[in-house]
Amino acid sequence: MRFKFSLMAIGLEVIIIVLFGLFVEYETTQQVNATRSTKTDRFLLLYPLFQDVHVMIFVGFGFLMTFLKKYGFSGVGFNLFLAALGLQWGTIVQGLLHDKGKKFHIGIKNMINADFSTATVLISFGAVLGKTSPVQMMIMTILEIAVFAANEYLVTSQFQASDTGASMTIHAFGAYFGLAVAGVLYRPGLRREHKNEESVYHSDLFAMIGTLFLWIFWPSFNSAIAVTGEKQYRAIINTYLSLAACVIVAYALSSLVERRGRLDMVHIQNATLAGGVAVGTCADMEIPLFAAMAIGSIAGIISVLGYKFLSPLLANKLMIKDTCGVHNLHGLPGVFGGLASILAKYLGMSTVSTMAMQAAALGSSIGSAIVGGLVTGLILKLPIWDQPPDEHCYDDSVYWKVPKVRELDPQFFQHANHNHLEHEV
Amino acid sequence: MRFKFSLMAIGLEVIIIVLFGLFVEYETTQQVNATRSTKTDRFLLLYPLFQDVHVMIFVGFGFLMTFLKKYGFSGVGFNLFLAALGLQWGTIVQGLLHDKGKKFHIGIKNMINADFSTATVLISFGAVLGKTSPVQMMIMTILEIAVFAANEYLVTSQFQASDTGASMTIHAFGAYFGLAVAGVLYRPGLRREHKNEESVYHSDLFAMIGTLFLWIFWPSFNSAIAVTGEKQYRAIINTYLSLAACVIVAYALSSLVERRGRLDMVHIQNATLAGGVAVGTCADMEIPLFAAMAIGSIAGIISVLGYKFLSPLLANKLMIKDTCGVHNLHGLPGVFGGLASILAKYLGMSTVSTMAMQAAALGSSIGSAIVGGLVTGLILKLPIWDQPPDEHCYDDSVYWKVPKVRELDPQFFQHANHNHLEHEV
Amino acid sequence: MRFKFSLMAIGLEVIIIVLFGLFVEYETTQQVNATRSTKTDRFLLLYPLFQDVHVMIFVGFGFLMTFLKKYGFSGVGFNLFLAALGLQWGTIVQGLLHDKGKKFHIGIKNMINADFSTATVLISFGAVLGKTSPVQMMIMTILEIAVFAANEYLVTSQFQASDTGASMTIHAFGAYFGLAVAGVLYRPGLRREHKNEESVYHSDLFAMIGTLFLWIFWPSFNSAIAVTGEKQYRAIINTYLSLAACVIVAYALSSLVERRGRLDMVHIQNATLAGGVAVGTCADMEIPLFAAMAIGSIAGIISVLGYKFLSPLLANKLMIKDTCGVHNLHGLPGVFGGLASILAKYLGMSTVSTMAMQAAALGSSIGSAIVGGLVTGLILKLPIWDQPPDEHCYDDSVYWKVPKVRELDPQFFQHANHNHLEHEV
């Protein structure tokens, strides 16, 4: 991958820097109709929420993808690379779209939205994890964020739909985009379980680092771009409670569906987060608290059942192999979140047109994801992007220098043993 | 554990959701006597402190309990489950108690207090780690939080004692509750060192993730519910300095008590945090900075000596086997923190009755913990909760599907080795 | 190391507590010319930035140094010890210097600056990692922070140079101080690659925890002491973009310089951070965004090339063995950041004297670091500080009780295997 990857990465970075030079400026306080001190405090008040999202993107998604025994470097390493690329590209694309191609200013909201745009890519990355090359992922990042930004613009500016926590525009979108790509790239050789496609004890613990930071900071994700005040406050509490309820139900279901009642780490690492995805669209709406908790509980059920019964079906019947099961964590709960928002609007006595717009947003997110994903998949299928052969899938050593010594051997601490003998004998 | 655990968890979640429907509402800005913007900013100003506490509860406590070589899934996994359950239940119980059974409103303070109430359970969990079933832990969570909330109400509303950082009401309470449970559940078969009751090199590093996040964010824990302004500020600085001093002394003592001067990971993972526990009650009082540092230093000494000399004694003489040594991290430093607050009141020229109230708070916390723990222990001893037999203690595989491949083997990276040979030979 | 280490640590802590008693007080709101509520909010607005820096110091630096296969306890453990010592000592030294030896008040800015002062020590620690005793590191901490505070005082108060993100005063200073110490302590026995001086698969993943938290929170590091408002805002955005650009370029270069195009974990763990170091001095200046990104990109190139070509040269020709390669992460990018600030001043039409002051700051930082490091190295070379012999370098078991069982063995989960057989056969 030496030259193709390197030169493409450097080329992209040069282009992005030039685009920043042409189109992006600071948002100075003079440009905002607020007093200097208020404006600045607003920046600093939102900054911790931004940083929570930042941790989710880089540590959360990154470590969540270290569960495979031999693909941890790639999981966390390519996650860093793709997210760093995506946030720069997302800033440009979203800025140009919202400001109609004129020079635009960058502030804390742009930073949050840029991080959001990378989330779609990282979700799709989960679907194809281990089966694609870094060059392919780079291309997917560029294409997916462009489609994402277009759909997000449509949903928020044209349909004026609500999607504060982005159940539809990020989670459902990212999942179906990734599934479409995975479908096009399907290879019969990977149909049966690959020898590398499993975890070891400690790789599952590394993945829990990702799960926990995602879980903890999800209220920030769902509220970061909410309207300041009451609505933001609401989004935080609803998400906090939805996630808590989701955990209890996900554990219960995980134990229930296993023959001997044992918990499955795949469910614990993923399904516990479904409550955050599903409550996203409704998070800032005036739904009662128990409804947020019910949404989280149902999402937990959907997600565990998806992992247990739907994923094998997708792989065997639809020929879509979804490495991380993003369909169960982001796809189904995202769709459920969109549907829940229509119901919430209905119960909240909204007009039919408001409800229709929510439905349009959901349809547009899924539709653009599938079309975009299929086209992207076809491009990635061109045999020039160094896609790894079957036997080298889920294996870091294709892309990384891996340590010669794999693990600590029994004679590990010579000195300790020596002293031990010395004193004990 | 298939049906018992699952059905109990789902049943509890349904009950909690119903209780939320009946009793809990948003705290809207209209309900607070402050202007809209000020109130909202207050929410957002406290939100980062809440998130720090949230990280402590889920990552801090969770990873701290991954030190056992075969019990990491349970350590971090049950921690997530119990905390998610506890925060929902804690919200209900504390809310009903403080608002005399009426409908109450939930805001950022309730979220912080709910997280706090889970801390007591997680401390007690540490005392019985590896020897109890998830069903037992679920029951303990429900009972302990009820007793905790009652004692906390007594201490703050009736005695009007000071305990900002909750040295007494959380740390001492959680420790003695857990010790009482552990005492009742004592089994001779676990008296001698169990073959699973040890760490491996990397499990100790995982545990350090927990230690560090607890250590870093402890100033937020001790200040999150302090009175806004000066006192909150003080609580942060006192805790920051107490913890720093504690580290130095804990390292020194750890080296001093070992025959060859080597540091013990158990001390480093735990005793370095004792300064945060001990300074809790005094954190927002007008004590001089050097006093905070002295409190931290003494707590470090107490804690290391407790691990070295007292824990073996408890296990052998009092038949209380304390897996994580919570007595040394939370129990003794918590009591010391309560005593320090009496001294601080005395030196600060407080009235005798103020000092008496601090003493009553300490007595009530320990007393209610021991009584509550004994009763809980007796309930947990009923032979219907699937308590694991001796030989399956400290072993994830009873409750979790564990990876078939345990560790990376020497032929781990086929591809890497292959290339290596190819080029080098 | 039993008595020497313990008694020195306790002695130092006692001295520090006495100094706090003599010289340090709270900063109460009365002492600040601001209304009570504004002042307090300022504290709480900066507190999340402080906590980000705190995470960088303890988790970031700590886990970054766990990459060695047998030196993880020391990496993260001594990091905690040295940082906790350094922040107390740094508070005293900086306070006394800035307030001319009078009693001074401690607030959030002092806490940030104290954490900063420890960063220099931790950078230098990286240069000598694995080859020095805790006693030596304790002495280095005391001496280095004194020299650092003196230089920092010179740079900010005398030269009045700009160095918000401290590229010069922390990063270049810490690196050259450490290199000077490493040079003096050079031992021919360690010239060739030591058998312990390598990573294993999971130790590299632990190190990525450090990398990611450093990367994520670097914008807080570079902006925490910036002037409130516009400049702080700017420092955040410039650092965020510089780091993102740096990642792309560092990955590209890492692949480019390796024969087979494979990425090197050493580069990913370190060079991706060089953009944060390099943009530090300019972070709050009115440079265009694309310039921040260019600085980050160049820093990524410099850093990877440094690891690939310069480090071996330093080790073999200059006899400076730099364990973590701090020269490539902190040294070169720090110097580059200083030079970039001179250029930025020039392009911003600053006076010649302003530019000269930046140059003086850079010269003073490097000069004081080298002189201070050489003197410190000579002191550390005295044969009374228990420096480990060659064969015990990079080995935890000299200073730590290490687990008897090193790793999980194939028969790890008896219970799991047993059940497995039971059901499958």
Side-chain angles (χ1 to χ4, degrees):
Chain A
M1 74 178 205
R2 191 167 181 181
F3 296 108
K4 221 175 278 178
F5 169 76
S6 295
L7 297 182
M8 196 183 284
I10 290 172
L12 272 175
E13 188 55 47
V14 169
I15 291 169
I16 287 171
I17 291 178
V18 169
L19 289 171
F20 263 80
L22 293 175
F23 292 110
V24 197
E25 276 179 357
Y26 282 107
E27 180 183 60
T28 54
T29 53
Q30 287 78 355
Q31 289 142 10
V32 191
N33 59 350
T35 65
R36 190 188 183 83
S37 80
T38 313
K39 171 63 200 165
T40 310
D41 284 4
R42 187 56 50 202
F43 185 97
L44 277 190
L45 275 172
L46 283 183
Y47 181 64
L49 278 80
F50 160 73
Q51 278 295 7
D52 292 350
V53 172
H54 219 39
V55 171
M56 291 173 75
I57 297 293
F58 290 90
V59 171
F61 279 103
F63 272 95
L64 189 60
M65 287 189 271
T66 58
F67 70 101
L68 289 167
K69 67 178 179 183
K70 291 189 189 182
Y71 208 63
F73 287 11
S74 300
V76 70
F78 292 152
N79 186 83
L80 168 59
F81 177 79
L82 298 176
L85 177 63
L87 69 86
Q88 297 178 69
W89 178 240
T91 304
I92 295 279
V93 176
Q94 292 184 84
L96 287 179
L97 214 55
H98 280 271
D99 291 282
K100 317 264 184 285
K102 288 181 304 199
K103 238 175 155 65
F104 62 92
H105 303 100
I106 182 175
I108 188 78
K109 291 266 180 183
N110 305 61
M111 290 166 69
I112 294 168
N113 276 313
D115 266 31
F116 277 3
S117 71
T118 69
T120 56
V121 175
L122 302 179
I123 293 166
S124 305
F125 178 45
V128 297
L129 189 76
K131 299 168 294 192
T132 47
S133 70
V135 170
Q136 287 178 305
M137 289 302 90
M138 219 183 327
I139 297 169
M140 188 177 86
T141 302
I142 300 299
L143 296 178
E144 179 165 1
I145 284 181
V147 183
F148 159 76
N151 177 61
E152 194 259 341
Y153 180 72
L154 198 68
V155 165
T156 56
S157 301
Q158 300 311 112
F159 302 158
Q160 307 216 321
S162 306
D163 196 21
T164 308
S167 309
M168 302 184 287
T169 49
I170 291 179
H171 295 288
F173 180 91
Y176 288 103
F177 194 103
L179 291 171
V181 172
V184 176
L185 296 183
Y186 184 79
R187 295 183 259 171
L190 298 181
R191 186 172 187 169
R192 298 187 52 189
E193 199 160 291
H194 194 285
K195 68 180 192 312
N196 293 339
E197 208 186 349
E198 59 182 13
S199 63
V200 289
Y201 193 63
H202 282 169
S203 70
D204 270 327
L205 281 176
F206 278 116
M208 280 303 289
I209 299 173
T211 298
L212 289 177
F213 279 106
L214 287 169
W215 194 90
I216 290 166
F217 290 139
W218 213 293
S220 303
F221 190 96
N222 281 357
S223 66
I225 57 160
V227 176
T228 309
E230 203 70 20
K231 274 175 166 286
Q232 192 163 33
Y233 190 172
R234 232 177 242 287
I236 288 171
I237 296 184
N238 277 332
T239 308
Y240 168 79
L241 288 172
S242 172
L243 282 163
C246 180
V247 165
I248 308 309
V249 174
Y251 272 73
L253 261 278
S254 180
S255 168
L256 205 58
V257 299
E258 210 260 349
R259 205 178 33 182
R260 304 192 61 258
R262 289 183 301 187
L263 298 163
D264 189 332
M265 258 293 169
V266 174
H267 305 153
I268 304 312
Q269 284 159 6
N270 294 282
T272 51
L273 302 168
V277 173
V279 85
T281 307
C282 300
D284 64 342
M285 297 181 187
E286 294 191 31
I287 56 171
L289 291 167
F290 76 86
M293 297 163 84
I295 290 174
S297 302
I298 296 168
I301 296 172
I302 292 174
S303 190
V304 172
L305 295 181
Y307 275 101
K308 185 73 184 176
F309 303 109
L310 199 58
S311 281
L313 220 70
L314 278 182
N316 293 324
K317 305 288 171 192
L318 287 184
M319 318 244 166
I320 297 174
K321 189 79 186 281
D322 175 5
T323 313
C324 296
V326 300
H327 190 226
N328 313 306
L329 170 49
H330 302 279
L332 294 173
V335 171
F336 171 58
L339 296 174
S341 77
I342 301 176
L343 183 64
K345 293 274 181 192
Y346 174 74
L347 295 172
M349 305 293 168
S350 291
T351 61
V352 174
S353 88
T354 317
M355 288 158 60
M357 284 305 159
Q358 290 298 112
L362 182 56
S364 156
S365 297
I366 296 175
S368 63
I370 292 176
V371 174
L374 290 173
V375 172
T376 302
L378 288 171
I379 294 170
L380 298 187
K381 210 169 182 165
L382 296 176
I384 53 175
W385 310 125
D386 298 341
Q387 190 164 8
D390 293 359
E391 70 271 26
H392 291 164
C393 281
Y394 316 106
D395 187 342
D396 277 338
S397 62
V398 186
Y399 306 115
W400 298 82
K401 287 171 74 175
V402 289
K404 272 174 290 178
V405 180
R406 248 69 55 194
E407 273 307 316
L408 311 181
D409 60 77
Q411 295 298 310
F412 191 53
F413 284 107
Q414 300 285 350
H415 188 63
N417 291 339
H418 181 65
N419 290 324
H420 194 66
L421 289 168
E422 193 178 66
H423 287 266
E424 303 291 312
V425 180
Chain B
M1 74 175 206
R2 192 167 180 180
F3 297 107
K4 221 175 278 177
F5 170 76
S6 295
L7 298 183
M8 195 183 284
I10 291 171
L12 272 176
E13 188 55 48
V14 169
I15 292 169
I16 287 172
I17 291 178
V18 170
L19 290 172
F20 264 80
L22 294 174
F23 293 111
V24 197
E25 277 179 358
Y26 281 107
E27 179 183 61
T28 55
T29 53
Q30 287 78 355
Q31 289 143 6
V32 190
N33 59 349
T35 66
R36 189 185 183 83
S37 79
T38 312
K39 171 64 198 164
T40 310
D41 284 5
R42 186 58 48 201
F43 186 96
L44 277 190
L45 274 172
L46 282 184
Y47 182 64
L49 277 79
F50 160 72
Q51 278 294 7
D52 293 350
V53 172
H54 220 38
V55 171
M56 291 173 76
I57 296 294
F58 289 91
V59 171
F61 279 104
F63 273 95
L64 189 59
M65 286 189 273
T66 59
F67 70 101
L68 289 168
K69 66 179 180 182
K70 290 189 187 183
Y71 209 63
F73 287 11
S74 301
V76 70
F78 293 152
N79 185 83
L80 169 59
F81 177 79
L82 298 176
L85 176 64
L87 69 86
Q88 298 177 69
W89 178 240
T91 304
I92 295 278
V93 176
Q94 291 182 84
L96 287 180
L97 215 55
H98 281 271
D99 291 282
K100 316 267 185 279
K102 289 181 303 199
K103 241 178 152 62
F104 61 92
H105 304 100
I106 182 175
I108 188 78
K109 290 266 181 181
N110 305 61
M111 291 165 69
I112 293 168
N113 276 314
D115 267 32
F116 277 3
S117 71
T118 71
T120 55
V121 176
L122 303 179
I123 292 166
S124 305
F125 179 44
V128 296
L129 189 77
K131 299 169 294 190
T132 47
S133 70
V135 170
Q136 287 178 306
M137 290 301 89
M138 218 181 328
I139 297 168
M140 188 176 86
T141 302
I142 300 301
L143 298 178
E144 179 165 0
I145 285 180
V147 183
F148 159 76
N151 177 61
E152 194 259 341
Y153 180 72
L154 196 69
V155 165
T156 57
S157 300
Q158 301 311 111
F159 300 159
Q160 308 219 320
S162 306
D163 196 20
T164 308
S167 309
M168 302 183 287
T169 51
I170 292 179
H171 295 288
F173 179 92
Y176 288 104
F177 194 103
L179 291 172
V181 172
V184 176
L185 297 182
Y186 183 80
R187 296 184 259 170
L190 298 179
R191 185 172 185 168
R192 297 187 54 188
E193 199 160 291
H194 194 284
K195 68 181 190 312
N196 293 339
E197 207 185 349
E198 59 183 11
S199 63
V200 289
Y201 193 62
H202 282 169
S203 71
D204 270 327
L205 281 176
F206 278 116
M208 280 303 289
I209 298 172
T211 298
L212 289 177
F213 279 106
L214 286 170
W215 194 90
I216 290 166
F217 290 140
W218 213 292
S220 302
F221 190 96
N222 281 357
S223 66
I225 57 160
V227 176
T228 309
E230 203 71 19
K231 273 173 166 287
Q232 192 163 34
Y233 188 172
R234 229 177 244 286
I236 289 171
I237 296 184
N238 276 332
T239 309
Y240 166 80
L241 289 173
S242 174
L243 282 163
C246 180
V247 165
I248 308 308
V249 174
Y251 272 73
L253 260 278
S254 179
S255 168
L256 206 57
V257 297
E258 211 262 348
R259 204 178 32 182
R260 303 193 63 257
R262 290 184 300 188
L263 299 163
D264 189 332
M265 258 294 170
V266 173
H267 305 154
I268 303 312
Q269 285 159 6
N270 295 283
T272 51
L273 301 167
V277 173
V279 85
T281 307
C282 300
D284 64 342
M285 298 180 186
E286 293 191 33
I287 56 171
L289 291 166
F290 77 87
M293 297 164 84
I295 290 173
S297 303
I298 296 168
I301 295 172
I302 291 174
S303 190
V304 172
L305 295 181
Y307 275 102
K308 186 73 183 176
F309 303 109
L310 199 57
S311 282
L313 220 68
L314 279 181
N316 294 324
K317 305 288 172 191
L318 286 184
M319 317 248 168
I320 298 174
K321 189 81 187 278
D322 173 5
T323 312
C324 295
V326 300
H327 190 226
N328 313 305
L329 170 47
H330 302 278
L332 294 174
V335 172
F336 172 57
L339 296 175
S341 77
I342 301 175
L343 183 63
K345 294 275 182 192
Y346 174 75
L347 295 173
M349 303 292 166
S350 292
T351 61
V352 173
S353 87
T354 317
M355 288 158 58
M357 285 306 159
Q358 290 299 111
L362 182 57
S364 155
S365 298
I366 296 175
S368 63
I370 292 176
V371 173
L374 291 174
V375 173
T376 302
L378 287 171
I379 295 170
L380 298 186
K381 209 168 182 167
L382 297 175
I384 54 174
W385 309 126
D386 298 341
Q387 188 164 8
D390 294 359
E391 69 271 26
H392 291 166
C393 282
Y394 317 107
D395 187 341
D396 277 336
S397 62
V398 186
Y399 305 114
W400 299 81
K401 288 172 72 176
V402 289
K404 272 175 290 181
V405 180
R406 249 67 57 191
E407 272 306 317
L408 314 179
D409 61 76
Q411 295 299 309
F412 191 55
F413 285 107
Q414 300 285 349
H415 188 65
N417 291 338
H418 181 65
N419 290 324
H420 193 67
L421 288 168
E422 193 178 66
H423 288 266
E424 301 291 312
V425 180
Chain C
M1 73 177 205
R2 191 167 182 181
F3 296 108
K4 222 176 275 176
F5 169 76
S6 296
L7 298 183
M8 196 182 282
I10 290 171
L12 273 175
E13 189 55 48
V14 169
I15 291 170
I16 287 172
I17 291 178
V18 170
L19 289 173
F20 265 79
L22 293 175
F23 292 111
V24 197
E25 277 178 358
Y26 282 107
E27 179 182 60
T28 55
T29 52
Q30 287 76 357
Q31 289 142 8
V32 191
N33 58 349
T35 65
R36 190 185 182 83
S37 79
T38 312
K39 171 62 200 165
T40 309
D41 284 5
R42 185 59 48 203
F43 185 97
L44 277 189
L45 275 172
L46 282 184
Y47 182 63
L49 279 79
F50 160 73
Q51 278 295 7
D52 294 350
V53 172
H54 219 38
V55 171
M56 292 174 75
I57 297 294
F58 290 90
V59 171
F61 279 103
F63 273 95
L64 189 60
M65 286 189 272
T66 58
F67 70 102
L68 289 167
K69 66 178 180 182
K70 291 189 189 181
Y71 209 62
F73 287 12
S74 300
V76 70
F78 292 152
N79 186 83
L80 168 58
F81 177 80
L82 298 177
L85 176 64
L87 68 85
Q88 298 177 68
W89 178 238
T91 304
I92 295 279
V93 176
Q94 291 183 85
L96 288 179
L97 215 53
H98 280 270
D99 290 282
K100 316 266 185 285
K102 288 181 302 196
K103 239 176 154 65
F104 62 92
H105 303 101
I106 182 174
I108 189 77
K109 291 265 182 183
N110 305 62
M111 290 164 70
I112 294 168
N113 276 314
D115 266 31
F116 278 4
S117 72
T118 71
T120 54
V121 175
L122 302 179
I123 293 166
S124 305
F125 178 45
V128 297
L129 189 76
K131 300 168 293 191
T132 47
S133 70
V135 171
Q136 287 179 305
M137 290 301 89
M138 218 182 326
I139 297 169
M140 188 177 86
T141 301
I142 300 300
L143 296 177
E144 179 165 1
I145 285 181
V147 182
F148 158 76
N151 178 60
E152 194 260 341
Y153 179 73
L154 196 69
V155 165
T156 57
S157 300
Q158 300 311 111
F159 300 160
Q160 308 218 320
S162 307
D163 196 21
T164 307
S167 310
M168 302 183 287
T169 49
I170 292 179
H171 295 288
F173 179 91
Y176 289 103
F177 194 102
L179 292 171
V181 172
V184 176
L185 296 183
Y186 183 80
R187 296 185 259 169
L190 298 179
R191 184 172 189 167
R192 298 188 54 187
E193 199 160 290
H194 194 284
K195 70 182 191 309
N196 293 339
E197 209 186 348
E198 59 184 10
S199 62
V200 289
Y201 193 63
H202 282 169
S203 71
D204 270 327
L205 281 176
F206 279 115
M208 280 303 289
I209 299 172
T211 298
L212 290 176
F213 278 106
L214 286 169
W215 194 90
I216 289 166
F217 290 139
W218 213 292
S220 302
F221 189 95
N222 281 356
S223 66
I225 57 160
V227 176
T228 308
E230 203 71 19
K231 273 175 166 286
Q232 193 165 33
Y233 189 173
R234 228 177 245 287
I236 288 171
I237 296 184
N238 276 332
T239 308
Y240 167 79
L241 289 172
S242 173
L243 282 163
C246 179
V247 165
I248 309 308
V249 174
Y251 272 73
L253 260 277
S254 180
S255 167
L256 206 59
V257 298
E258 209 260 350
R259 204 177 34 179
R260 304 192 62 256
R262 291 184 301 187
L263 298 162
D264 189 331
M265 258 294 168
V266 174
H267 304 153
I268 304 311
Q269 284 160 4
N270 294 283
T272 52
L273 301 167
V277 173
V279 85
T281 307
C282 299
D284 65 341
M285 298 180 186
E286 295 191 30
I287 57 170
L289 291 165
F290 77 87
M293 297 163 83
I295 289 173
S297 303
I298 295 169
I301 296 172
I302 290 174
S303 189
V304 173
L305 295 181
Y307 275 101
K308 185 74 185 176
F309 303 109
L310 199 57
S311 282
L313 220 68
L314 278 182
N316 294 322
K317 305 288 171 193
L318 285 184
M319 318 245 167
I320 298 174
K321 190 81 186 281
D322 174 6
T323 312
C324 296
V326 300
H327 190 227
N328 313 304
L329 169 48
H330 302 278
L332 294 173
V335 171
F336 171 57
L339 296 174
S341 76
I342 301 176
L343 183 64
K345 294 274 181 191
Y346 175 74
L347 295 172
M349 303 293 167
S350 291
T351 60
V352 173
S353 87
T354 317
M355 289 158 59
M357 284 306 159
Q358 291 298 111
L362 182 58
S364 155
S365 298
I366 297 175
S368 64
I370 293 177
V371 174
L374 290 175
V375 173
T376 302
L378 288 172
I379 294 169
L380 299 187
K381 210 167 182 169
L382 297 175
I384 53 173
W385 311 125
D386 298 339
Q387 188 163 8
D390 293 0
E391 69 271 25
H392 291 165
C393 281
Y394 316 108
D395 187 342
D396 278 337
S397 61
V398 186
Y399 306 114
W400 299 81
K401 287 171 74 175
V402 289
K404 273 175 288 179
V405 180
R406 249 66 58 190
E407 273 306 316
L408 312 180
D409 60 77
Q411 295 300 310
F412 192 53
F413 284 107
Q414 299 286 350
H415 188 64
N417 290 339
H418 181 65
N419 290 325
H420 193 66
L421 288 168
E422 191 179 65
H423 288 266
E424 302 291 313
V425 180

